[in-house]
Amino acid sequence: MTDRILIPGGTGLVGRALASHLAREGREIVLLSRATETRRPAPDLPPGCRIARWDGRSSAGWLELAEGASAIVNLAGESISGGRWTRERKRRIRDSRLQATGAVVEAISQSRKPVRTLVQASAVGYYGDRGEEVLTESSSPGTGFLAETARAWEAASAPVEKFGVRRALARTALVLSRQGGALPAMALPTRFGLGAVLGSGRQWMPWIHLADEVAALAFLIENPGASGAFNLAAPETVTQAQFSRRLAQALHRPMFFRAPAWAVRAALGEMSELVLASQQVNAGRLGELGFRFEFPEVTGALADLMEERPERKS
């Protein structure tokens, strides 16, 4: 089989970093993008990668690329943090994930040489708001929009196992990167001394450095014993207050303010779940297979990301 890896949804923050990492190892990397359909310009690609168009709903136009590929890493889905969760937006978030995953299953089912491995994106939102409970990969799913979406997302990829495909579910925590995602938005008010603890601040906030996110996804691709669910979250668990204060310390700024939960809910609506839910996530299964984090502690991760220097390469 060709050492080709397909990344549906690969033009986002994590996908581009992963593509760059895998391409440097000499693999053929193909990013599946809906840029043409949505009339967005095609993104610049990391060296060694190319792009293929797809509709996000079917295998039309890229089935031949799936033939004999070594792996698919399915990251496709509309961002959950791009605006308030109206009924229509929640429908798009859910449908984009289920339709894209259905397209991947369709491509695998129609391939004469199915891929060996599917790494299926998911999220720690699978667990819902769980207070002080320590959450492992065997913990039950929670309730709420994110939990229900993640559960359906994971289940949509299950049929590939009928074709002998190894399936790894990557339940990812908040990805920290200086290049995008939530961290720059969190850091901006903090730089001006306006950072705040959100809600009680006692809610557990799982996180992972982009470099470790990429390394963990590559590990799941390459490790033949990696099947089932994996929590992609750094070993050090911190509360939202601890994270906010360490971010302020990394930026050499004070932290004076607190936004009460009612104010956060008034500002964000149902999307406040992203910052008020408590999830004390343990990444035990990665460790059992021998994965080691480059940034296991939040202080070191923030020092790396907030340091004024040229962009690090993932």
Side-chain angles (χ1 to χ4, degrees):
M1 289 186 179
T2 304
D3 196 8
R4 179 191 309 124
I5 296 177
L6 275 60
I7 311 180
T11 56
L13 174 69
V14 172
R16 288 170 58 82
L18 176 63
S20 180
H21 173 86
L22 296 173
R24 287 199 299 271
E25 297 180 348
R27 294 178 168 93
E28 178 188 357
I29 307 301
V30 183
L31 285 68
L32 302 184
S33 171
R34 296 176 59 243
T36 295
E37 180 184 326
T38 56
R39 299 182 182 179
R40 290 183 283 110
D44 295 330
L45 297 180
C49 304
R50 63 189 177 97
I51 201 163
R53 311 299 182 185
W54 77 323
D55 59 13
R57 300 183 297 273
S58 73
S59 61
W62 62 279
L63 179 59
E64 68 281 1
L65 294 172
E67 292 273 0
S70 59
I72 296 177
V73 184
N74 181 24
L75 305 177
E78 183 169 330
S79 171
I80 61 174
S81 59
R84 288 176 72 97
W85 290 350
T86 62
R87 180 179 299 180
E88 172 60 21
R89 186 135 192 286
K90 289 199 296 183
R91 184 194 64 77
R92 293 201 311 268
I93 288 169
R94 178 184 172 89
D95 287 356
S96 66
R97 283 158 174 73
L98 299 188
Q99 289 172 356
T101 303
V104 169
V105 173
E106 177 184 307
I108 290 172
S109 69
Q110 294 180 359
S111 295
R112 291 165 297 180
K113 295 180 180 179
V115 301
R116 296 189 292 265
T117 301
L118 170 63
V119 177
Q120 171 63 47
S122 184
V124 295
Y126 173 92
Y127 302 109
D129 186 358
R130 303 291 276 272
E132 295 297 310
E133 182 181 354
V134 176
L135 301 167
T136 68
E137 288 87 353
S138 62
S139 296
S140 62
T143 59
F145 171 66
L146 289 182
E148 292 162 6
T149 298
R151 186 176 184 180
W153 199 11
E154 292 184 6
S157 67
V160 302
E161 295 180 355
K162 296 187 299 184
F163 304 100
V165 177
R166 176 174 63 86
R167 182 177 65 123
L169 302 169
R171 293 176 183 164
T172 295
L174 175 70
V175 178
L176 302 183
S177 170
R178 58 195 285 132
Q179 298 144 310
L183 185 60
M186 297 167 70
L188 182 61
T190 305
R191 289 184 190 277
F192 291 97
L194 299 175
V197 173
L198 303 179
S200 70
R202 295 190 297 272
Q203 65 272 31
W204 293 101
M205 178 181 159
W207 62 275
I208 187 170
H209 191 296
L210 177 62
D212 283 326
E213 172 76 4
V214 167
L217 290 171
F219 182 84
L220 295 178
I221 294 170
E222 296 161 3
N223 193 312
S227 61
F230 292 85
N231 291 334
L232 273 59
E236 183 185 30
T237 56
V238 294
T239 65
Q240 199 282 325
Q242 290 170 334
F243 182 89
S244 295
R245 288 172 181 141
R246 293 190 201 181
L247 176 58
Q249 291 169 1
L251 293 170
H252 309 290
R253 296 293 187 272
M255 173 66 70
F256 296 126
F257 302 103
R258 181 183 298 274
W262 65 263
V264 176
R265 293 189 182 98
L268 300 179
E270 190 177 352
M271 196 170 71
S272 62
E273 178 183 344
L274 290 173
V275 294
L276 296 180
S278 180
Q279 297 160 336
Q280 189 174 182
V281 175
N282 177 281
R285 291 202 66 212
L286 279 176
E288 289 169 5
L289 290 182
F291 181 80
R292 295 294 177 264
F293 286 82
E294 182 180 357
F295 297 97
E297 298 179 350
V298 73
T299 298
L302 290 173
D304 176 75
L305 293 167
M306 295 293 100
E307 182 183 354
E308 294 295 334
R309 55 175 173 71
E311 297 286 349
R312 68 174 279 127
K313 293 183 179 180
S314 298

